[in-house]
Amino acid sequence: MNFREEAEKIEDYIIGQRRYFHQHPELSFEEKETTAAIGRQLEEMGIEPHYFDNYYGVWGEIKGGLSGDKDRTVLLRADIDALPVEEQTGLPYASVAKGVMHACGHDCHIAMLLGAAKVLKDHQSELQGNVKLLFQAAEESCHGAEYYVENGLLDDVDAVYGSHVWGDMDAPFLNVDPGERMASCDNFTITVSGFSAHGSSPHQGVDAIVAAAAIIMQLQSIVSRKNDPRNALVVTIGEINGGERFNIIANRVVMKGTVRTHSKEVRGKVEEWIRDIVVNTAKANGAEAVLDYEYYPAPLINDEKLTAIARNAAISLYGEESVVPLEKAMGSEDFSYYLDKVPGVYAFIGTRNSGQGIEASNHNNCFTVDESMLTRGTALYAQFAYDYLHS
């Protein structure tokens, strides 16, 4: 079975769906109309949509017509939420929602998976096993996927596949590599407490700003001295707020930051490293500090066997030259919550076309895609599912 021609036959449908959802974006946890529109499309295909009582997103299932001694279920996932970005593309189908845009390409993901649902449904009788189709809410929140895992949607799933359109890679090339592909995303808040005094009499107070500055500088030693330089690690303070007036010694500073790494081992150590620096550096400056550390998606690590299936599927569809290398990213993806539950693989699909002036990266207010890649995303969804079930 080769799904390339099947996807190309419905290219107009896939592009039309992408443009509809691009024009009607909704933010994380607000995807009410998006969920309903996807459900209607599934119904028209003869796939029953399943909704959630207190959460957006929708899923459907295609039960294969063949039976065997190793029937399995594969889940195909697309995320559906948009970003709080004011669109500046000038496209005729630009967002009609002020300050909201599909700047990350989730509109493409919806369309590609709807296309895959359509072609897989047409070949339902030839599937040895089942295909679950999940249109997931709230990926941009960093933990939207948790809900589906916690509510048992993956309990009968043996493998999971997802993909992402990528503005830093030329269209319509594909990337499917094993191992580490995206970083973890853990966030933290540091609250530094000092003692107010007049700015002319600093000795009468404890300067929370000075203590916070010392903490910031010491945190840089985690990457340069604590971490093995062969492991990618980022520790960033992205927000700092403190002080009440130019001539008052600040008694409170709040800082927020993020940690990114590809290593599960390093991830398990960073909180302790940060806490030691925060508490002791504050104490050395006469202040007190508290660290609040929150764990979000783990590193996204592709399963080697499933990656081989996905890579071979891509080559069978579009040839060896269609699959190109791509450096692993320090950005994160809550697809990793699924990978903590079952083995899976995550692919990337290039969207950049400099000849057409399509060069903006994901999350840019001018982000758009070379739509020729959409059928490839659809075909790869379907081909991976079929090949995995028949492997």
Side-chain angles (χ1 to χ4, degrees), residues 17-28 31 34 38 79-87 89 91 93-97 99-110 136 140 165 361-369:
Q17 291 301 309
R18 182 256 163 167
R19 293 183 178 185
Y20 170 81
F21 288 107
H22 186 87
Q23 194 169 26
H24 301 92
E26 294 177 299
L27 296 174
S28 302
E31 306 97 328
T34 302
I38 294 168
D79 37 15
I80 67 174
D81 53 330
L83 286 162
V85 172
E86 185 69 31
E87 183 164 357
T89 62
L91 293 168
Y93 49 89
S95 170
V96 297
V100 184
M101 175 191 175
H102 270 298
C104 198
H106 296 183
D107 52 336
C108 299
H109 302 167
I110 298 168
Q136 178 210 310
E140 295 293 354
V165 297
S361 297
N362 304 66
H363 286 223
N364 186 285
N365 60 6
C366 291
F367 178 74
T368 189
V369 305

Side-chain angles (χ1 to χ4, degrees), residues 321-363:
E321 67 281 0
S322 68
V323 182
V324 298
L326 179 70
E327 289 292 330
K328 54 188 177 183
M330 292 306 292
S332 64
E333 232 297 344
D334 76 355
F335 188 81
S336 64
Y337 285 113
Y338 304 127
L339 299 183
D340 287 340
K341 178 76 174 178
V342 296
V345 59
Y346 199 70
F348 296 89
I349 305 166
T351 64
R352 184 174 58 200
N353 187 325
S354 298
Q356 295 181 13
I358 300 172
E359 297 181 310
S361 297
N362 304 66
H363 286 223

Side-chain angles (χ1 to χ4, degrees), residues 305-323:
K305 291 183 179 179
L306 295 178
T307 300
I309 293 173
R311 186 181 181 87
N312 289 336
I315 291 171
S316 71
L317 289 166
Y318 300 105
E320 190 89 38
E321 67 281 0
S322 68
V323 182

Side-chain angles (χ1 to χ4, degrees), residues 268-279:
K269 297 177 179 179
V270 176
E271 180 182 2
E272 181 182 354
W273 291 344
I274 292 178
R275 193 176 303 279
D276 284 346
I277 288 173
V278 166
V279 172

Side-chain angles (χ1 to χ4, degrees), residues 279-296:
V279 172
N280 293 316
T281 303
K283 184 177 180 181
N285 284 271
E288 295 182 352
V290 175
L291 173 69
D292 181 22
Y293 201 91
E294 297 181 285
Y295 288 89
Y296 282 87

